[in-house]
Amino acid sequence: MNKYTIDEELRQVERLREQYPPGTRIQCIQMDDPYHAVAPGSIGTVDHVDDAGTIHMSWENGSSLGLIPGEDHFKIIGRSEHNKSKGQER
């Protein structure tokens, strides 16, 4: 992997962290995991985004399965009050 690729991946992960800060509420539309998929319509809260760009979640059904941007389909349905106060509402 060359330096450009590593730098671009780091920038991508930082963008994901800005877009999905802890406390962001997300609704699953479709998860492409045949073994452990979270049901469409499920709602959860972002815990963190890891260095690989996986969005780690706490789902209301008790699951903690992460979302993979570009593979899984989901939408933001809310922000925590803490994130709103920091100007991160979009």
Side-chain angles (χ1 to χ4, degrees), residues 12-58:
Q12 237 176 348
V13 168
E14 283 308 311
R15 283 191 296 268
L16 288 171
R17 288 180 175 145
E18 289 172 8
Q19 189 173 2
Y20 304 105
T24 301
R25 302 284 290 158
I26 289 180
Q27 183 175 31
C28 177
I29 296 169
Q30 178 186 359
M31 187 175 278
D32 295 328
D33 184 329
Y35 303 105
H36 305 290
V38 172
S42 295
I43 295 174
T45 304
V46 173
D47 288 327
H48 69 282
V49 176
D50 69 17
D51 292 341
T54 300
I55 303 169
H56 290 265
M57 300 291 298
S58 291

Short mmCIF file of all heavy atoms in Angstrom, two decimals, residues 12-58:
data_model
loop_
_atom_site.label_atom_id
_atom_site.label_comp_id
_atom_site.label_asym_id
_atom_site.label_seq_id
_atom_site.Cartn_x
_atom_site.Cartn_y
_atom_site.Cartn_z
N GLN A 12 -10.76 9.22 4.89
CA GLN A 12 -12.10 8.63 4.79
C GLN A 12 -12.64 8.25 6.16
O GLN A 12 -13.80 8.51 6.47
CB GLN A 12 -12.04 7.37 3.91
CG GLN A 12 -12.95 7.41 2.75
CD GLN A 12 -12.77 6.17 1.88
OE1 GLN A 12 -11.85 5.39 2.00
NE2 GLN A 12 -13.70 6.01 0.98
N VAL A 13 -11.80 7.64 7.00
CA VAL A 13 -12.23 7.26 8.34
C VAL A 13 -12.56 8.51 9.16
O VAL A 13 -13.56 8.54 9.87
CB VAL A 13 -11.16 6.39 9.04
CG1 VAL A 13 -11.46 6.23 10.53
CG2 VAL A 13 -11.07 5.02 8.38
N GLU A 14 -11.77 9.56 9.03
CA GLU A 14 -12.05 10.80 9.76
C GLU A 14 -13.38 11.40 9.31
O GLU A 14 -14.15 11.92 10.12
CB GLU A 14 -10.91 11.81 9.61
CG GLU A 14 -9.72 11.48 10.48
CD GLU A 14 -10.08 11.26 11.94
OE1 GLU A 14 -10.80 12.09 12.54
OE2 GLU A 14 -9.66 10.23 12.50
N ARG A 15 -13.68 11.35 8.01
CA ARG A 15 -14.97 11.85 7.51
C ARG A 15 -16.11 11.04 8.11
O ARG A 15 -17.14 11.60 8.50
CB ARG A 15 -15.01 11.80 5.99
CG ARG A 15 -14.24 12.92 5.32
CD ARG A 15 -14.53 13.01 3.83
NE ARG A 15 -14.09 11.84 3.09
CZ ARG A 15 -12.91 11.69 2.52
NH1 ARG A 15 -12.01 12.65 2.59
NH2 ARG A 15 -12.61 10.58 1.86
N LEU A 16 -15.95 9.72 8.19
CA LEU A 16 -16.98 8.88 8.80
C LEU A 16 -17.17 9.24 10.26
O LEU A 16 -18.30 9.31 10.76
CB LEU A 16 -16.63 7.40 8.66
CG LEU A 16 -16.75 6.80 7.27
CD1 LEU A 16 -16.15 5.40 7.24
CD2 LEU A 16 -18.21 6.77 6.82
N ARG A 17 -16.09 9.48 10.97
CA ARG A 17 -16.18 9.86 12.40
C ARG A 17 -16.90 11.19 12.58
O ARG A 17 -17.63 11.37 13.55
CB ARG A 17 -14.79 9.89 13.03
CG ARG A 17 -14.23 8.51 13.21
CD ARG A 17 -12.86 8.53 13.83
NE ARG A 17 -12.42 7.16 14.10
CZ ARG A 17 -11.17 6.73 14.00
NH1 ARG A 17 -10.21 7.58 13.67
NH2 ARG A 17 -10.89 5.48 14.24
N GLU A 18 -16.69 12.11 11.64
CA GLU A 18 -17.39 13.40 11.71
C GLU A 18 -18.87 13.23 11.37
O GLU A 18 -19.73 13.87 11.97
CB GLU A 18 -16.75 14.40 10.74
CG GLU A 18 -15.39 14.86 11.18
CD GLU A 18 -14.69 15.70 10.12
OE1 GLU A 18 -15.31 16.05 9.10
OE2 GLU A 18 -13.50 16.00 10.33
N GLN A 19 -19.16 12.38 10.40
CA GLN A 19 -20.55 12.18 9.96
C GLN A 19 -21.36 11.35 10.94
O GLN A 19 -22.56 11.55 11.08
CB GLN A 19 -20.55 11.50 8.58
CG GLN A 19 -21.90 11.44 7.93
CD GLN A 19 -21.83 10.91 6.51
OE1 GLN A 19 -20.77 10.55 6.01
NE2 GLN A 19 -22.96 10.85 5.86
N TYR A 20 -20.71 10.41 11.62
CA TYR A 20 -21.40 9.49 12.54
C TYR A 20 -20.74 9.51 13.92
O TYR A 20 -20.19 8.52 14.39
CB TYR A 20 -21.38 8.06 11.98
CG TYR A 20 -21.95 7.95 10.60
CD1 TYR A 20 -21.13 7.79 9.49
CD2 TYR A 20 -23.33 8.01 10.39
CE1 TYR A 20 -21.66 7.70 8.21
CE2 TYR A 20 -23.86 7.92 9.12
CZ TYR A 20 -23.02 7.77 8.04
OH TYR A 20 -23.55 7.69 6.78
N PRO A 21 -20.81 10.65 14.63
CA PRO A 21 -20.21 10.72 15.97
C PRO A 21 -21.01 9.86 16.96
O PRO A 21 -22.18 9.54 16.72
CB PRO A 21 -20.31 12.20 16.33
CG PRO A 21 -21.45 12.71 15.52
CD PRO A 21 -21.44 11.92 14.24
N PRO A 22 -20.38 9.49 18.08
CA PRO A 22 -21.12 8.74 19.10
C PRO A 22 -22.41 9.46 19.47
O PRO A 22 -22.45 10.68 19.57
CB PRO A 22 -20.14 8.72 20.28
CG PRO A 22 -18.79 8.82 19.64
CD PRO A 22 -18.99 9.74 18.46
N GLY A 23 -23.46 8.67 19.63
CA GLY A 23 -24.76 9.22 19.98
C GLY A 23 -25.69 9.40 18.80
O GLY A 23 -26.88 9.63 18.97
N THR A 24 -25.15 9.31 17.57
CA THR A 24 -25.98 9.44 16.38
C THR A 24 -26.96 8.27 16.32
O THR A 24 -26.57 7.12 16.52
CB THR A 24 -25.10 9.45 15.10
OG1 THR A 24 -24.19 10.55 15.19
CG2 THR A 24 -25.95 9.58 13.84
N ARG A 25 -28.22 8.58 16.05
CA ARG A 25 -29.26 7.54 15.95
C ARG A 25 -29.39 7.14 14.48
O ARG A 25 -29.48 7.99 13.61
CB ARG A 25 -30.59 8.07 16.47
CG ARG A 25 -30.53 8.54 17.92
CD ARG A 25 -30.51 7.43 18.92
NE ARG A 25 -31.83 6.81 18.90
CZ ARG A 25 -32.07 5.57 19.32
NH1 ARG A 25 -31.10 4.82 19.76
NH2 ARG A 25 -33.28 5.08 19.28
N ILE A 26 -29.39 5.84 14.24
CA ILE A 26 -29.42 5.30 12.89
C ILE A 26 -30.51 4.25 12.77
O ILE A 26 -30.76 3.49 13.71
CB ILE A 26 -28.05 4.68 12.53
CG1 ILE A 26 -27.03 5.80 12.35
CG2 ILE A 26 -28.12 3.80 11.29
CD1 ILE A 26 -25.64 5.35 12.00
N GLN A 27 -31.15 4.23 11.60
CA GLN A 27 -32.13 3.19 11.29
C GLN A 27 -31.55 2.32 10.17
O GLN A 27 -31.09 2.84 9.15
CB GLN A 27 -33.45 3.79 10.85
CG GLN A 27 -34.51 2.72 10.59
CD GLN A 27 -35.86 3.32 10.28
OE1 GLN A 27 -35.96 4.41 9.72
NE2 GLN A 27 -36.91 2.62 10.66
N CYS A 28 -31.59 1.02 10.38
CA CYS A 28 -31.13 0.06 9.37
C CYS A 28 -32.18 -0.05 8.26
O CYS A 28 -33.37 -0.22 8.54
CB CYS A 28 -30.91 -1.31 10.01
SG CYS A 28 -30.41 -2.59 8.85
N ILE A 29 -31.74 0.06 7.02
CA ILE A 29 -32.62 -0.16 5.88
C ILE A 29 -32.41 -1.58 5.36
O ILE A 29 -33.36 -2.32 5.17
CB ILE A 29 -32.34 0.89 4.77
CG1 ILE A 29 -32.68 2.28 5.31
CG2 ILE A 29 -33.14 0.56 3.51
CD1 ILE A 29 -32.22 3.41 4.44
N GLN A 30 -31.15 -1.97 5.17
CA GLN A 30 -30.83 -3.34 4.76
C GLN A 30 -29.39 -3.62 5.14
O GLN A 30 -28.50 -2.80 4.91
CB GLN A 30 -30.99 -3.51 3.25
CG GLN A 30 -30.62 -4.90 2.78
CD GLN A 30 -30.65 -5.01 1.26
OE1 GLN A 30 -30.95 -4.05 0.56
NE2 GLN A 30 -30.32 -6.18 0.77
N MET A 31 -29.15 -4.79 5.70
CA MET A 31 -27.80 -5.21 6.05
C MET A 31 -27.47 -6.45 5.24
O MET A 31 -28.24 -7.40 5.22
CB MET A 31 -27.70 -5.48 7.55
CG MET A 31 -26.29 -5.76 8.01
SD MET A 31 -26.18 -5.93 9.80
CE MET A 31 -26.10 -4.20 10.27
N ASP A 32 -26.34 -6.40 4.56
CA ASP A 32 -25.94 -7.49 3.68
C ASP A 32 -25.09 -8.53 4.42
O ASP A 32 -23.95 -8.79 4.03
CB ASP A 32 -25.20 -6.94 2.46
CG ASP A 32 -26.09 -6.08 1.60
OD1 ASP A 32 -27.29 -6.36 1.54
OD2 ASP A 32 -25.57 -5.14 0.98
N ASP A 33 -25.62 -9.09 5.47
CA ASP A 33 -24.93 -10.14 6.22
C ASP A 33 -25.90 -11.31 6.35
O ASP A 33 -26.87 -11.24 7.10
CB ASP A 33 -24.54 -9.61 7.60
CG ASP A 33 -23.73 -10.61 8.41
OD1 ASP A 33 -23.93 -11.84 8.24
OD2 ASP A 33 -22.92 -10.18 9.24
N PRO A 34 -25.66 -12.40 5.62
CA PRO A 34 -26.62 -13.51 5.62
C PRO A 34 -26.72 -14.26 6.94
O PRO A 34 -27.67 -15.00 7.16
CB PRO A 34 -26.10 -14.43 4.51
CG PRO A 34 -24.64 -14.12 4.42
CD PRO A 34 -24.50 -12.67 4.77
N TYR A 35 -25.78 -14.06 7.85
CA TYR A 35 -25.76 -14.84 9.10
C TYR A 35 -26.23 -14.06 10.31
O TYR A 35 -26.80 -14.63 11.24
CB TYR A 35 -24.36 -15.39 9.35
CG TYR A 35 -23.87 -16.22 8.20
CD1 TYR A 35 -22.91 -15.73 7.33
CD2 TYR A 35 -24.40 -17.48 7.95
CE1 TYR A 35 -22.47 -16.48 6.24
CE2 TYR A 35 -23.97 -18.24 6.88
CZ TYR A 35 -23.01 -17.74 6.03
OH TYR A 35 -22.59 -18.48 4.96
N HIS A 36 -25.97 -12.77 10.35
CA HIS A 36 -26.26 -11.99 11.57
C HIS A 36 -26.90 -10.64 11.28
O HIS A 36 -26.72 -9.70 12.05
CB HIS A 36 -24.98 -11.75 12.37
CG HIS A 36 -24.25 -12.99 12.72
ND1 HIS A 36 -24.71 -13.89 13.64
CD2 HIS A 36 -23.09 -13.50 12.25
CE1 HIS A 36 -23.85 -14.90 13.73
NE2 HIS A 36 -22.87 -14.69 12.89
N ALA A 37 -27.59 -10.51 10.18
CA ALA A 37 -28.12 -9.20 9.79
C ALA A 37 -29.07 -8.63 10.84
O ALA A 37 -29.82 -9.36 11.48
CB ALA A 37 -28.84 -9.30 8.45
N VAL A 38 -29.00 -7.32 10.98
CA VAL A 38 -29.95 -6.59 11.80
C VAL A 38 -31.18 -6.37 10.93
O VAL A 38 -31.06 -6.04 9.75
CB VAL A 38 -29.34 -5.25 12.27
CG1 VAL A 38 -30.36 -4.37 12.95
CG2 VAL A 38 -28.15 -5.51 13.19
N ALA A 39 -32.35 -6.59 11.47
CA ALA A 39 -33.59 -6.49 10.69
C ALA A 39 -33.82 -5.08 10.16
O ALA A 39 -33.54 -4.10 10.86
CB ALA A 39 -34.78 -6.91 11.55
N PRO A 40 -34.34 -4.97 8.94
CA PRO A 40 -34.69 -3.65 8.42
C PRO A 40 -35.66 -2.94 9.37
O PRO A 40 -36.54 -3.56 9.96
CB PRO A 40 -35.39 -3.98 7.09
CG PRO A 40 -34.83 -5.30 6.68
CD PRO A 40 -34.61 -6.04 7.98
N GLY A 41 -35.44 -1.65 9.55
CA GLY A 41 -36.26 -0.87 10.45
C GLY A 41 -35.70 -0.77 11.86
O GLY A 41 -36.16 0.05 12.65
N SER A 42 -34.70 -1.62 12.17
CA SER A 42 -34.09 -1.57 13.51
C SER A 42 -33.42 -0.23 13.73
O SER A 42 -32.88 0.38 12.81
CB SER A 42 -33.06 -2.68 13.66
OG SER A 42 -33.67 -3.95 13.60
N ILE A 43 -33.44 0.21 14.98
CA ILE A 43 -32.87 1.50 15.34
C ILE A 43 -31.76 1.27 16.36
O ILE A 43 -31.87 0.43 17.25
CB ILE A 43 -33.95 2.44 15.91
CG1 ILE A 43 -34.96 2.75 14.80
CG2 ILE A 43 -33.34 3.71 16.49
CD1 ILE A 43 -36.16 3.54 15.26
N GLY A 44 -30.68 2.05 16.20
CA GLY A 44 -29.57 1.93 17.12
C GLY A 44 -28.83 3.24 17.28
O GLY A 44 -29.15 4.24 16.63
N THR A 45 -27.81 3.21 18.14
CA THR A 45 -27.01 4.38 18.46
C THR A 45 -25.55 4.08 18.18
O THR A 45 -25.05 3.02 18.56
CB THR A 45 -27.19 4.76 19.94
OG1 THR A 45 -28.59 4.95 20.19
CG2 THR A 45 -26.43 6.02 20.29
N VAL A 46 -24.87 5.02 17.54
CA VAL A 46 -23.45 4.86 17.23
C VAL A 46 -22.65 4.90 18.53
O VAL A 46 -22.82 5.81 19.35
CB VAL A 46 -22.96 5.97 16.28
CG1 VAL A 46 -21.45 5.91 16.10
CG2 VAL A 46 -23.68 5.89 14.94
N ASP A 47 -21.77 3.90 18.69
CA ASP A 47 -20.81 3.90 19.80
C ASP A 47 -19.52 4.60 19.35
O ASP A 47 -19.01 5.47 20.02
CB ASP A 47 -20.49 2.49 20.26
CG ASP A 47 -21.63 1.85 21.00
OD1 ASP A 47 -22.37 2.57 21.70
OD2 ASP A 47 -21.80 0.62 20.88
N HIS A 48 -18.99 4.15 18.20
CA HIS A 48 -17.77 4.74 17.65
C HIS A 48 -17.53 4.22 16.24
O HIS A 48 -18.16 3.24 15.83
CB HIS A 48 -16.56 4.45 18.54
CG HIS A 48 -16.15 3.01 18.56
ND1 HIS A 48 -16.81 2.04 19.29
CD2 HIS A 48 -15.15 2.36 17.90
CE1 HIS A 48 -16.23 0.87 19.10
NE2 HIS A 48 -15.22 1.03 18.26
N VAL A 49 -16.62 4.86 15.53
CA VAL A 49 -16.15 4.39 14.23
C VAL A 49 -14.71 3.93 14.43
O VAL A 49 -13.88 4.70 14.93
CB VAL A 49 -16.22 5.50 13.16
CG1 VAL A 49 -15.64 5.01 11.84
CG2 VAL A 49 -17.67 5.97 12.97
N ASP A 50 -14.42 2.68 14.05
CA ASP A 50 -13.06 2.17 14.26
C ASP A 50 -12.13 2.58 13.11
O ASP A 50 -12.54 3.24 12.16
CB ASP A 50 -13.06 0.66 14.50
CG ASP A 50 -13.44 -0.17 13.28
OD1 ASP A 50 -13.41 0.34 12.13
OD2 ASP A 50 -13.76 -1.36 13.47
N ASP A 51 -10.86 2.19 13.21
CA ASP A 51 -9.85 2.58 12.22
C ASP A 51 -10.09 1.97 10.85
O ASP A 51 -9.51 2.43 9.86
CB ASP A 51 -8.45 2.20 12.71
CG ASP A 51 -8.01 3.04 13.91
OD1 ASP A 51 -8.60 4.12 14.13
OD2 ASP A 51 -7.09 2.61 14.62
N ALA A 52 -10.92 0.94 10.75
CA ALA A 52 -11.25 0.34 9.46
C ALA A 52 -12.49 0.98 8.84
O ALA A 52 -12.87 0.66 7.72
CB ALA A 52 -11.48 -1.17 9.62
N GLY A 53 -13.15 1.89 9.56
CA GLY A 53 -14.33 2.56 9.05
C GLY A 53 -15.64 1.87 9.38
O GLY A 53 -16.69 2.26 8.89
N THR A 54 -15.60 0.84 10.22
CA THR A 54 -16.83 0.18 10.67
C THR A 54 -17.51 1.06 11.71
O THR A 54 -16.86 1.55 12.64
CB THR A 54 -16.53 -1.21 11.27
OG1 THR A 54 -15.92 -2.01 10.27
CG2 THR A 54 -17.80 -1.89 11.77
N ILE A 55 -18.82 1.24 11.56
CA ILE A 55 -19.59 2.03 12.51
C ILE A 55 -20.13 1.06 13.56
O ILE A 55 -21.02 0.25 13.28
CB ILE A 55 -20.74 2.77 11.81
CG1 ILE A 55 -20.19 3.67 10.69
CG2 ILE A 55 -21.54 3.59 12.82
CD1 ILE A 55 -21.26 4.24 9.77
N HIS A 56 -19.57 1.11 14.76
CA HIS A 56 -19.99 0.22 15.84
C HIS A 56 -21.26 0.76 16.48
O HIS A 56 -21.34 1.95 16.79
CB HIS A 56 -18.87 0.05 16.86
CG HIS A 56 -17.72 -0.73 16.30
ND1 HIS A 56 -17.59 -2.07 16.48
CD2 HIS A 56 -16.69 -0.35 15.50
CE1 HIS A 56 -16.51 -2.50 15.84
NE2 HIS A 56 -15.95 -1.47 15.24
N MET A 57 -22.22 -0.13 16.67
CA MET A 57 -23.56 0.25 17.07
C MET A 57 -24.01 -0.44 18.35
O MET A 57 -23.54 -1.53 18.67
CB MET A 57 -24.55 -0.15 15.97
CG MET A 57 -24.30 0.48 14.62
SD MET A 57 -24.61 2.24 14.61
CE MET A 57 -26.35 2.29 15.02
N SER A 58 -24.96 0.18 19.02
CA SER A 58 -25.75 -0.45 20.08
C SER A 58 -27.19 -0.42 19.57
O SER A 58 -27.81 0.65 19.54
CB SER A 58 -25.65 0.32 21.39
OG SER A 58 -24.37 0.22 21.94
#
